[in-house]
Amino acid sequence: MKPRIAIITLKWLTQIAYYGLSIFSILFFILVTLKVTNIITLPFEKIENMFAYSLKSSISEDKKTIYSPNHKIAYTAIRDQYQLKAKPQTAIGLLSIIMRCAFLFLSVIYIRFFARIFKTITTNAPFNTRIVSYLKGLAFVSFAFEIAGCIEYFAGTYLIQNEFPRMHFKLDYQFGDEIITGLIIWVIAFIYEKGASLQQENELTV
C-alpha cells in the first residue's frame, strides 16, 4: 500500500472512530445518569458487567456468590480470582461508573489526537511542528490513563476491603503499562521534533 493511501485510510478511520466513540460516550453518560438518579427504570443488569471489577485475594474460597450485609454488593469466585458487581447507588458502584466515564473521556481525547495527526501529516512534508504537539498530547493522555488507573486501584481496593475485610481483596490492575507507552510516545515526539527542525532548515537553505 502506498503511503498516501495509508495516510488517507487512517485519516478516515480515526475520524470515524472519534465521532463514533464520542456519540457512544454521550449516550453512555446519559444512560448512567438516568439510572443513578432513578429518573427512569433501566435494565442496568444487562450492562452491569461493564462496571464489574476483577479482584485478587490471598484467601481462596469455593466458587459461590457472597453478598454484603445489605445484599447490594456481591462477589463470585472465578478459579483463583473473583468478580465483584455493585449497585450504582453504592460507593463502589459510583466509583466504577465515574472511572468508566473518565476512561471513555480520555479515550475520546486519545483518538482525537490520532485523528489530528493523520489529518495534518502529508507525504510531501511529513514533519510538521503541529504533529509534535499532538504526539506530546498523546503522551500526556497516556500518563493521565495511568493516574486514573492508580486512583481507581487504591480507592476501589479501600472501599472493597471495607465491605469484605476478611478477604483482603485487591483490584486486579497492571501498573506501569501506560507510563511506558507515554514515555515511548514522548521519545517519538522528541525525534519527530528534530526531524521537523531539520526539514525547516533544508527548506530555508533551498
Side-chain angles (χ1 to χ4, degrees), residues 42-104:
L42 293 172
F44 185 82
E45 291 73 17
K46 294 183 179 180
I47 60 171
E48 64 180 357
N49 287 333
M50 296 178 63
F51 304 97
Y53 281 123
S54 294
L55 308 177
K56 290 182 177 181
S57 175
S58 57
I59 301 174
S60 61
E61 286 187 345
D62 296 332
K63 186 174 181 180
K64 57 183 178 180
T65 301
I66 306 297
Y67 293 89
S68 62
N70 58 13
H71 289 271
K72 290 186 177 181
I73 304 173
Y75 68 83
T76 304
I78 305 175
R79 294 183 180 177
D80 296 332
Q81 293 186 331
Y82 300 85
Q83 185 183 63
L84 182 139
K85 298 179 182 179
K87 298 295 183 182
Q89 292 79 13
T90 63
I92 300 173
L94 285 175
L95 174 67
S96 178
I97 290 171
I98 291 171
M99 296 312 300
R100 295 300 174 276
C101 291
F103 287 129
L104 271 176

Short mmCIF file of all heavy atoms in Angstrom, two decimals, residues 42-104:
data_model
loop_
_atom_site.label_atom_id
_atom_site.label_comp_id
_atom_site.label_asym_id
_atom_site.label_seq_id
_atom_site.Cartn_x
_atom_site.Cartn_y
_atom_site.Cartn_z
N LEU A 42 -34.19 1.46 34.13
CA LEU A 42 -33.45 0.92 33.00
C LEU A 42 -32.93 -0.47 33.35
O LEU A 42 -32.65 -0.76 34.51
CB LEU A 42 -32.26 1.84 32.66
CG LEU A 42 -32.62 3.23 32.13
CD1 LEU A 42 -31.37 4.07 32.03
CD2 LEU A 42 -33.28 3.13 30.76
N PRO A 43 -32.80 -1.33 32.37
CA PRO A 43 -32.29 -2.69 32.62
C PRO A 43 -30.78 -2.68 32.87
O PRO A 43 -30.00 -3.16 32.06
CB PRO A 43 -32.65 -3.43 31.33
CG PRO A 43 -32.63 -2.36 30.27
CD PRO A 43 -33.14 -1.12 30.95
N PHE A 44 -30.39 -2.10 34.00
CA PHE A 44 -28.96 -1.96 34.30
C PHE A 44 -28.27 -3.30 34.39
O PHE A 44 -27.09 -3.43 34.08
CB PHE A 44 -28.79 -1.20 35.62
CG PHE A 44 -27.36 -0.89 35.96
CD1 PHE A 44 -26.73 0.21 35.41
CD2 PHE A 44 -26.65 -1.71 36.81
CE1 PHE A 44 -25.42 0.48 35.71
CE2 PHE A 44 -25.33 -1.44 37.12
CZ PHE A 44 -24.72 -0.33 36.57
N GLU A 45 -29.00 -4.34 34.78
CA GLU A 45 -28.39 -5.65 34.96
C GLU A 45 -27.79 -6.17 33.65
O GLU A 45 -26.84 -6.96 33.66
CB GLU A 45 -29.42 -6.65 35.49
CG GLU A 45 -29.85 -6.39 36.95
CD GLU A 45 -30.77 -5.18 37.09
OE1 GLU A 45 -31.31 -4.73 36.05
OE2 GLU A 45 -30.92 -4.67 38.21
N LYS A 46 -28.33 -5.74 32.51
CA LYS A 46 -27.84 -6.23 31.24
C LYS A 46 -26.48 -5.63 30.87
O LYS A 46 -25.78 -6.16 30.02
CB LYS A 46 -28.87 -5.92 30.13
CG LYS A 46 -30.18 -6.67 30.29
CD LYS A 46 -31.12 -6.39 29.14
CE LYS A 46 -32.42 -7.16 29.29
NZ LYS A 46 -33.35 -6.90 28.17
N ILE A 47 -26.12 -4.50 31.47
CA ILE A 47 -24.84 -3.88 31.16
C ILE A 47 -23.95 -3.80 32.40
O ILE A 47 -22.91 -3.16 32.36
CB ILE A 47 -25.04 -2.46 30.59
CG1 ILE A 47 -25.76 -1.57 31.60
CG2 ILE A 47 -25.78 -2.50 29.28
CD1 ILE A 47 -25.80 -0.11 31.19
N GLU A 48 -24.34 -4.47 33.48
CA GLU A 48 -23.58 -4.34 34.73
C GLU A 48 -22.19 -4.94 34.63
O GLU A 48 -21.30 -4.58 35.40
CB GLU A 48 -24.34 -4.98 35.88
CG GLU A 48 -24.53 -6.47 35.75
CD GLU A 48 -25.30 -7.06 36.92
OE1 GLU A 48 -25.63 -6.31 37.86
OE2 GLU A 48 -25.57 -8.26 36.90
N ASN A 49 -21.96 -5.85 33.67
CA ASN A 49 -20.63 -6.41 33.51
C ASN A 49 -19.60 -5.36 33.12
O ASN A 49 -18.40 -5.53 33.36
CB ASN A 49 -20.64 -7.53 32.45
CG ASN A 49 -21.31 -8.79 32.97
OD1 ASN A 49 -21.32 -9.05 34.16
ND2 ASN A 49 -21.88 -9.56 32.06
N MET A 50 -20.07 -4.25 32.53
CA MET A 50 -19.16 -3.17 32.18
C MET A 50 -18.59 -2.50 33.42
O MET A 50 -17.54 -1.85 33.37
CB MET A 50 -19.89 -2.12 31.32
CG MET A 50 -20.37 -2.63 29.98
SD MET A 50 -21.26 -1.38 29.05
CE MET A 50 -19.97 -0.16 28.80
N PHE A 51 -19.28 -2.65 34.56
CA PHE A 51 -18.85 -2.00 35.80
C PHE A 51 -18.28 -3.00 36.80
O PHE A 51 -18.03 -2.64 37.94
CB PHE A 51 -20.03 -1.25 36.43
CG PHE A 51 -20.67 -0.25 35.51
CD1 PHE A 51 -21.81 -0.58 34.79
CD2 PHE A 51 -20.12 1.00 35.35
CE1 PHE A 51 -22.39 0.34 33.94
CE2 PHE A 51 -20.70 1.93 34.49
CZ PHE A 51 -21.84 1.60 33.78
N ALA A 52 -18.11 -4.25 36.38
CA ALA A 52 -17.61 -5.27 37.29
C ALA A 52 -16.10 -5.12 37.48
O ALA A 52 -15.40 -4.63 36.60
CB ALA A 52 -17.93 -6.66 36.76
N TYR A 53 -15.63 -5.54 38.66
CA TYR A 53 -14.20 -5.49 38.97
C TYR A 53 -13.65 -6.91 39.08
O TYR A 53 -14.30 -7.78 39.65
CB TYR A 53 -13.96 -4.76 40.29
CG TYR A 53 -14.00 -3.26 40.20
CD1 TYR A 53 -14.87 -2.52 40.98
CD2 TYR A 53 -13.14 -2.57 39.34
CE1 TYR A 53 -14.91 -1.14 40.91
CE2 TYR A 53 -13.17 -1.19 39.26
CZ TYR A 53 -14.04 -0.48 40.04
OH TYR A 53 -14.07 0.89 39.97
N SER A 54 -12.46 -7.12 38.56
CA SER A 54 -11.73 -8.37 38.80
C SER A 54 -10.87 -8.17 40.04
O SER A 54 -10.14 -7.18 40.15
CB SER A 54 -10.85 -8.71 37.59
OG SER A 54 -11.63 -9.00 36.46
N LEU A 55 -10.97 -9.11 40.97
CA LEU A 55 -10.29 -8.99 42.25
C LEU A 55 -9.29 -10.11 42.46
O LEU A 55 -9.44 -11.20 41.91
CB LEU A 55 -11.30 -9.00 43.40
CG LEU A 55 -12.47 -8.01 43.33
CD1 LEU A 55 -13.40 -8.24 44.51
CD2 LEU A 55 -11.97 -6.59 43.31
N LYS A 56 -8.30 -9.83 43.27
CA LYS A 56 -7.35 -10.84 43.73
C LYS A 56 -7.41 -10.91 45.25
O LYS A 56 -7.65 -9.91 45.91
CB LYS A 56 -5.93 -10.49 43.29
CG LYS A 56 -5.67 -10.62 41.80
CD LYS A 56 -4.22 -10.31 41.48
CE LYS A 56 -3.95 -10.49 40.00
NZ LYS A 56 -2.52 -10.20 39.66
N SER A 57 -7.20 -12.11 45.77
CA SER A 57 -7.21 -12.29 47.22
C SER A 57 -6.22 -13.37 47.60
O SER A 57 -6.01 -14.33 46.85
CB SER A 57 -8.62 -12.67 47.71
OG SER A 57 -8.60 -12.96 49.09
N SER A 58 -5.62 -13.21 48.76
CA SER A 58 -4.71 -14.23 49.27
C SER A 58 -5.46 -15.39 49.90
O SER A 58 -4.87 -16.41 50.25
CB SER A 58 -3.77 -13.60 50.31
OG SER A 58 -4.52 -13.02 51.37
N ILE A 59 -6.77 -15.24 50.03
CA ILE A 59 -7.63 -16.28 50.61
C ILE A 59 -8.44 -16.91 49.49
O ILE A 59 -9.11 -16.23 48.74
CB ILE A 59 -8.56 -15.70 51.68
CG1 ILE A 59 -7.73 -15.05 52.80
CG2 ILE A 59 -9.47 -16.78 52.24
CD1 ILE A 59 -8.57 -14.34 53.82
N SER A 60 -8.42 -18.22 49.37
CA SER A 60 -9.18 -18.93 48.34
C SER A 60 -10.46 -19.50 48.93
O SER A 60 -10.49 -19.95 50.07
CB SER A 60 -8.34 -20.06 47.74
OG SER A 60 -7.98 -20.98 48.73
N GLU A 61 -11.50 -19.46 48.12
CA GLU A 61 -12.80 -19.99 48.54
C GLU A 61 -13.38 -20.81 47.41
O GLU A 61 -12.96 -20.72 46.26
CB GLU A 61 -13.76 -18.84 48.89
CG GLU A 61 -13.45 -18.16 50.21
CD GLU A 61 -14.54 -17.15 50.58
OE1 GLU A 61 -15.34 -16.80 49.70
OE2 GLU A 61 -14.59 -16.74 51.73
N ASP A 62 -14.39 -21.63 47.74
CA ASP A 62 -15.11 -22.36 46.71
C ASP A 62 -15.90 -21.38 45.86
O ASP A 62 -16.22 -20.27 46.29
CB ASP A 62 -16.08 -23.37 47.36
CG ASP A 62 -15.32 -24.44 48.14
OD1 ASP A 62 -14.16 -24.72 47.78
OD2 ASP A 62 -15.89 -24.96 49.13
N LYS A 63 -16.21 -21.81 44.64
CA LYS A 63 -16.95 -20.95 43.73
C LYS A 63 -18.38 -20.77 44.21
O LYS A 63 -19.20 -21.67 44.11
CB LYS A 63 -16.93 -21.54 42.31
CG LYS A 63 -17.56 -20.62 41.28
CD LYS A 63 -17.40 -21.15 39.89
CE LYS A 63 -18.02 -20.21 38.87
NZ LYS A 63 -17.87 -20.72 37.49
N LYS A 64 -18.67 -19.61 44.74
CA LYS A 64 -20.02 -19.29 45.20
C LYS A 64 -20.17 -17.78 45.26
O LYS A 64 -19.19 -17.04 45.22
CB LYS A 64 -20.28 -19.90 46.58
CG LYS A 64 -19.26 -19.47 47.64
CD LYS A 64 -19.53 -20.16 48.96
CE LYS A 64 -18.48 -19.75 50.00
NZ LYS A 64 -18.73 -20.41 51.31
N THR A 65 -21.40 -17.33 45.35
CA THR A 65 -21.69 -15.90 45.41
C THR A 65 -21.88 -15.48 46.86
O THR A 65 -22.67 -16.07 47.57
CB THR A 65 -22.95 -15.56 44.60
OG1 THR A 65 -22.76 -15.97 43.24
CG2 THR A 65 -23.23 -14.07 44.63
N ILE A 66 -21.12 -14.47 47.26
CA ILE A 66 -21.18 -13.96 48.62
C ILE A 66 -21.70 -12.53 48.59
O ILE A 66 -21.23 -11.70 47.81
CB ILE A 66 -19.78 -13.97 49.29
CG1 ILE A 66 -19.17 -15.38 49.20
CG2 ILE A 66 -19.88 -13.50 50.74
CD1 ILE A 66 -19.96 -16.44 49.94
N TYR A 67 -22.68 -12.23 49.45
CA TYR A 67 -23.30 -10.92 49.48
C TYR A 67 -22.86 -10.14 50.72
O TYR A 67 -22.57 -10.72 51.77
CB TYR A 67 -24.83 -11.03 49.47
CG TYR A 67 -25.39 -11.58 48.17
CD1 TYR A 67 -25.56 -12.94 48.00
CD2 TYR A 67 -25.74 -10.73 47.14
CE1 TYR A 67 -26.07 -13.45 46.81
CE2 TYR A 67 -26.25 -11.22 45.95
CZ TYR A 67 -26.41 -12.58 45.80
OH TYR A 67 -26.91 -13.07 44.62
N SER A 68 -22.84 -8.82 50.57
CA SER A 68 -22.59 -7.94 51.72
C SER A 68 -23.83 -7.93 52.60
O SER A 68 -24.90 -8.39 52.18
CB SER A 68 -22.26 -6.53 51.24
OG SER A 68 -23.36 -5.99 50.54
N PRO A 69 -23.74 -7.40 53.82
CA PRO A 69 -24.91 -7.41 54.72
C PRO A 69 -26.16 -6.78 54.13
O PRO A 69 -27.28 -7.23 54.41
CB PRO A 69 -24.41 -6.63 55.93
CG PRO A 69 -22.93 -6.88 55.94
CD PRO A 69 -22.53 -6.91 54.50
N ASN A 70 -26.01 -5.73 53.30
CA ASN A 70 -27.20 -5.09 52.73
C ASN A 70 -27.63 -5.71 51.41
O ASN A 70 -28.57 -5.24 50.77
CB ASN A 70 -26.95 -3.59 52.54
CG ASN A 70 -25.75 -3.32 51.66
OD1 ASN A 70 -25.23 -4.22 51.00
ND2 ASN A 70 -25.30 -2.08 51.64
N HIS A 71 -26.93 -6.77 50.98
CA HIS A 71 -27.26 -7.51 49.74
C HIS A 71 -27.23 -6.64 48.49
O HIS A 71 -27.86 -6.96 47.49
CB HIS A 71 -28.63 -8.17 49.86
CG HIS A 71 -28.64 -9.33 50.81
ND1 HIS A 71 -28.35 -10.62 50.42
CD2 HIS A 71 -28.87 -9.39 52.16
CE1 HIS A 71 -28.41 -11.43 51.47
NE2 HIS A 71 -28.72 -10.71 52.53
N LYS A 72 -26.46 -5.57 48.52
CA LYS A 72 -26.33 -4.70 47.34
C LYS A 72 -25.02 -4.93 46.60
O LYS A 72 -24.84 -4.46 45.49
CB LYS A 72 -26.44 -3.23 47.74
CG LYS A 72 -27.85 -2.83 48.18
CD LYS A 72 -27.92 -1.33 48.42
CE LYS A 72 -29.34 -0.90 48.78
NZ LYS A 72 -29.45 0.56 48.99
N ILE A 73 -24.10 -5.64 47.22
CA ILE A 73 -22.80 -5.91 46.62
C ILE A 73 -22.52 -7.40 46.76
O ILE A 73 -22.80 -7.98 47.79
CB ILE A 73 -21.67 -5.10 47.30
CG1 ILE A 73 -22.00 -3.59 47.26
CG2 ILE A 73 -20.33 -5.36 46.65
CD1 ILE A 73 -21.04 -2.75 48.04
N ALA A 74 -22.00 -7.98 45.68
CA ALA A 74 -21.73 -9.42 45.71
C ALA A 74 -20.47 -9.73 44.93
O ALA A 74 -20.13 -9.02 43.98
CB ALA A 74 -22.91 -10.20 45.12
N TYR A 75 -19.78 -10.78 45.33
CA TYR A 75 -18.62 -11.24 44.57
C TYR A 75 -18.74 -12.74 44.34
O TYR A 75 -19.35 -13.46 45.12
CB TYR A 75 -17.30 -10.88 45.26
CG TYR A 75 -17.03 -11.62 46.57
CD1 TYR A 75 -16.48 -12.90 46.57
CD2 TYR A 75 -17.32 -11.03 47.79
CE1 TYR A 75 -16.23 -13.57 47.76
CE2 TYR A 75 -17.08 -11.69 48.98
CZ TYR A 75 -16.53 -12.96 48.96
OH TYR A 75 -16.28 -13.62 50.14
N THR A 76 -18.15 -13.19 43.21
CA THR A 76 -18.19 -14.59 42.83
C THR A 76 -16.78 -15.07 42.52
O THR A 76 -16.04 -14.39 41.81
CB THR A 76 -19.09 -14.79 41.59
OG1 THR A 76 -20.38 -14.26 41.86
CG2 THR A 76 -19.19 -16.26 41.24
N ALA A 77 -16.40 -16.20 43.05
CA ALA A 77 -15.08 -16.75 42.80
C ALA A 77 -15.00 -17.30 41.38
O ALA A 77 -15.89 -18.02 40.94
CB ALA A 77 -14.78 -17.86 43.81
N ILE A 78 -13.95 -16.93 40.65
CA ILE A 78 -13.69 -17.46 39.32
C ILE A 78 -12.28 -18.04 39.35
O ILE A 78 -11.29 -17.34 39.21
CB ILE A 78 -13.80 -16.36 38.25
CG1 ILE A 78 -15.17 -15.67 38.33
CG2 ILE A 78 -13.56 -16.92 36.86
CD1 ILE A 78 -15.32 -14.51 37.38
N ARG A 79 -12.20 -19.34 39.63
CA ARG A 79 -10.92 -20.02 39.83
C ARG A 79 -10.17 -19.35 40.98
O ARG A 79 -10.63 -19.34 42.10
CB ARG A 79 -10.12 -20.03 38.53
CG ARG A 79 -10.77 -20.87 37.43
CD ARG A 79 -9.91 -20.92 36.19
NE ARG A 79 -10.55 -21.72 35.15
CZ ARG A 79 -10.06 -21.89 33.94
NH1 ARG A 79 -8.88 -21.37 33.63
NH2 ARG A 79 -10.71 -22.63 33.05
N ASP A 80 -9.00 -18.74 40.66
CA ASP A 80 -8.21 -18.11 41.71
C ASP A 80 -8.54 -16.63 41.86
O ASP A 80 -7.89 -15.93 42.62
CB ASP A 80 -6.71 -18.27 41.42
CG ASP A 80 -6.30 -19.72 41.43
OD1 ASP A 80 -6.96 -20.50 42.14
OD2 ASP A 80 -5.35 -20.07 40.72
N GLN A 81 -9.51 -16.16 41.10
CA GLN A 81 -9.87 -14.75 41.14
C GLN A 81 -11.35 -14.60 41.47
O GLN A 81 -12.09 -15.57 41.56
CB GLN A 81 -9.54 -14.07 39.82
CG GLN A 81 -8.04 -14.00 39.52
CD GLN A 81 -7.77 -13.19 38.27
OE1 GLN A 81 -8.59 -13.13 37.37
NE2 GLN A 81 -6.61 -12.55 38.23
N TYR A 82 -11.76 -13.34 41.60
CA TYR A 82 -13.15 -13.04 41.94
C TYR A 82 -13.64 -11.91 41.04
O TYR A 82 -12.86 -11.10 40.56
CB TYR A 82 -13.27 -12.62 43.41
CG TYR A 82 -12.81 -13.69 44.38
CD1 TYR A 82 -11.47 -13.80 44.73
CD2 TYR A 82 -13.72 -14.58 44.95
CE1 TYR A 82 -11.04 -14.78 45.62
CE2 TYR A 82 -13.30 -15.56 45.84
CZ TYR A 82 -11.95 -15.65 46.16
OH TYR A 82 -11.54 -16.62 47.03
N GLN A 83 -14.95 -11.88 40.86
CA GLN A 83 -15.57 -10.80 40.12
C GLN A 83 -16.57 -10.10 41.02
O GLN A 83 -17.43 -10.76 41.62
CB GLN A 83 -16.28 -11.32 38.87
CG GLN A 83 -16.85 -10.19 38.00
CD GLN A 83 -17.60 -10.73 36.80
OE1 GLN A 83 -18.59 -11.43 36.96
NE2 GLN A 83 -17.13 -10.41 35.60
N LEU A 84 -16.45 -8.81 41.14
CA LEU A 84 -17.33 -8.03 42.01
C LEU A 84 -18.26 -7.16 41.19
O LEU A 84 -17.83 -6.49 40.26
CB LEU A 84 -16.49 -7.16 42.95
CG LEU A 84 -17.29 -6.32 43.96
CD1 LEU A 84 -16.63 -6.33 45.32
CD2 LEU A 84 -17.45 -4.88 43.46
N LYS A 85 -19.54 -7.19 41.55
CA LYS A 85 -20.55 -6.32 40.95
C LYS A 85 -21.23 -5.54 42.06
O LYS A 85 -21.56 -6.11 43.11
CB LYS A 85 -21.58 -7.13 40.16
CG LYS A 85 -21.00 -7.90 38.98
CD LYS A 85 -22.08 -8.69 38.27
CE LYS A 85 -21.49 -9.49 37.11
NZ LYS A 85 -22.52 -10.30 36.41
N ALA A 86 -21.46 -4.26 41.83
CA ALA A 86 -22.07 -3.41 42.85
C ALA A 86 -23.18 -2.57 42.24
O ALA A 86 -23.10 -2.17 41.07
CB ALA A 86 -21.01 -2.51 43.49
N LYS A 87 -24.20 -2.31 43.01
CA LYS A 87 -25.27 -1.43 42.57
C LYS A 87 -24.73 -0.01 42.41
O LYS A 87 -23.82 0.41 43.13
CB LYS A 87 -26.42 -1.43 43.59
CG LYS A 87 -27.08 -2.79 43.79
CD LYS A 87 -27.78 -3.25 42.52
CE LYS A 87 -28.50 -4.59 42.75
NZ LYS A 87 -29.15 -5.08 41.52
N PRO A 88 -25.28 0.75 41.46
CA PRO A 88 -24.74 2.09 41.20
C PRO A 88 -24.92 3.07 42.35
O PRO A 88 -24.22 4.08 42.40
CB PRO A 88 -25.53 2.55 39.96
CG PRO A 88 -26.77 1.72 39.95
CD PRO A 88 -26.37 0.39 40.54
N GLN A 89 -25.82 2.77 43.29
CA GLN A 89 -26.04 3.67 44.42
C GLN A 89 -24.99 3.48 45.52
O GLN A 89 -24.95 4.26 46.47
CB GLN A 89 -27.44 3.48 45.00
CG GLN A 89 -28.57 3.92 44.10
CD GLN A 89 -28.90 2.91 43.02
OE1 GLN A 89 -28.43 1.76 43.06
NE2 GLN A 89 -29.69 3.31 42.04
N THR A 90 -24.15 2.45 45.43
CA THR A 90 -23.12 2.23 46.44
C THR A 90 -21.87 3.01 46.08
O THR A 90 -21.68 3.46 44.93
CB THR A 90 -22.77 0.73 46.53
OG1 THR A 90 -22.22 0.31 45.27
CG2 THR A 90 -24.00 -0.09 46.84
N ALA A 91 -20.98 3.15 47.06
CA ALA A 91 -19.74 3.90 46.82
C ALA A 91 -18.88 3.20 45.77
O ALA A 91 -18.31 3.86 44.89
CB ALA A 91 -18.97 4.03 48.14
N ILE A 92 -18.82 1.88 45.84
CA ILE A 92 -18.03 1.13 44.85
C ILE A 92 -18.65 1.25 43.46
O ILE A 92 -17.95 1.42 42.46
CB ILE A 92 -17.93 -0.35 45.27
CG1 ILE A 92 -17.26 -0.47 46.63
CG2 ILE A 92 -17.16 -1.15 44.22
CD1 ILE A 92 -17.27 -1.87 47.21
N GLY A 93 -19.97 1.15 43.40
CA GLY A 93 -20.66 1.29 42.13
C GLY A 93 -20.46 2.65 41.51
O GLY A 93 -20.22 2.78 40.30
N LEU A 94 -20.55 3.70 42.33
CA LEU A 94 -20.33 5.07 41.83
C LEU A 94 -18.90 5.26 41.36
O LEU A 94 -18.65 5.91 40.34
CB LEU A 94 -20.66 6.08 42.93
CG LEU A 94 -22.15 6.32 43.21
CD1 LEU A 94 -22.32 7.26 44.40
CD2 LEU A 94 -22.85 6.90 41.98
N LEU A 95 -17.95 4.69 42.11
CA LEU A 95 -16.55 4.78 41.69
C LEU A 95 -16.36 4.13 40.33
O LEU A 95 -15.69 4.70 39.44
CB LEU A 95 -15.65 4.10 42.72
CG LEU A 95 -14.17 3.99 42.33
CD1 LEU A 95 -13.53 5.38 42.30
CD2 LEU A 95 -13.41 3.08 43.29
N SER A 96 -16.95 2.95 40.15
CA SER A 96 -16.83 2.25 38.87
C SER A 96 -17.41 3.08 37.73
O SER A 96 -16.81 3.19 36.66
CB SER A 96 -17.53 0.90 38.96
OG SER A 96 -17.46 0.22 37.72
N ILE A 97 -18.58 3.67 37.95
CA ILE A 97 -19.24 4.47 36.92
C ILE A 97 -18.41 5.70 36.59
O ILE A 97 -18.18 6.03 35.41
CB ILE A 97 -20.64 4.88 37.38
CG1 ILE A 97 -21.56 3.65 37.41
CG2 ILE A 97 -21.23 5.94 36.46
CD1 ILE A 97 -22.90 3.90 38.05
N ILE A 98 -17.93 6.39 37.62
CA ILE A 98 -17.14 7.61 37.41
C ILE A 98 -15.86 7.30 36.64
O ILE A 98 -15.49 8.01 35.69
CB ILE A 98 -16.81 8.28 38.76
CG1 ILE A 98 -18.08 8.85 39.38
CG2 ILE A 98 -15.77 9.39 38.57
CD1 ILE A 98 -17.89 9.33 40.81
N MET A 99 -15.19 6.21 37.01
CA MET A 99 -13.94 5.87 36.35
C MET A 99 -14.18 5.40 34.91
O MET A 99 -13.38 5.71 34.02
CB MET A 99 -13.20 4.79 37.13
CG MET A 99 -12.76 5.22 38.53
SD MET A 99 -11.92 6.83 38.58
CE MET A 99 -10.51 6.53 37.51
N ARG A 100 -15.28 4.69 34.65
CA ARG A 100 -15.57 4.29 33.28
C ARG A 100 -15.83 5.52 32.41
O ARG A 100 -15.40 5.59 31.26
CB ARG A 100 -16.79 3.36 33.23
CG ARG A 100 -16.58 2.01 33.91
CD ARG A 100 -15.45 1.22 33.28
NE ARG A 100 -15.16 0.00 34.02
CZ ARG A 100 -14.38 -0.07 35.09
NH1 ARG A 100 -13.78 1.02 35.53
NH2 ARG A 100 -14.15 -1.23 35.69
N CYS A 101 -16.54 6.50 32.97
CA CYS A 101 -16.77 7.75 32.24
C CYS A 101 -15.45 8.49 31.99
O CYS A 101 -15.22 9.04 30.91
CB CYS A 101 -17.74 8.65 33.01
SG CYS A 101 -19.44 8.04 33.09
N ALA A 102 -14.58 8.48 33.00
CA ALA A 102 -13.28 9.13 32.85
C ALA A 102 -12.43 8.45 31.77
O ALA A 102 -11.81 9.13 30.94
CB ALA A 102 -12.54 9.12 34.19
N PHE A 103 -12.42 7.12 31.77
CA PHE A 103 -11.65 6.39 30.77
C PHE A 103 -12.22 6.61 29.36
O PHE A 103 -11.46 6.69 28.39
CB PHE A 103 -11.61 4.91 31.10
CG PHE A 103 -10.73 4.56 32.26
CD1 PHE A 103 -11.19 3.79 33.31
CD2 PHE A 103 -9.42 5.03 32.32
CE1 PHE A 103 -10.36 3.47 34.39
CE2 PHE A 103 -8.59 4.73 33.39
CZ PHE A 103 -9.06 3.95 34.43
N LEU A 104 -13.54 6.68 29.26
CA LEU A 104 -14.15 6.97 27.97
C LEU A 104 -13.75 8.36 27.48
O LEU A 104 -13.43 8.55 26.31
CB LEU A 104 -15.68 6.87 28.07
CG LEU A 104 -16.31 5.51 27.81
CD1 LEU A 104 -17.81 5.57 28.05
CD2 LEU A 104 -16.03 5.04 26.39
#
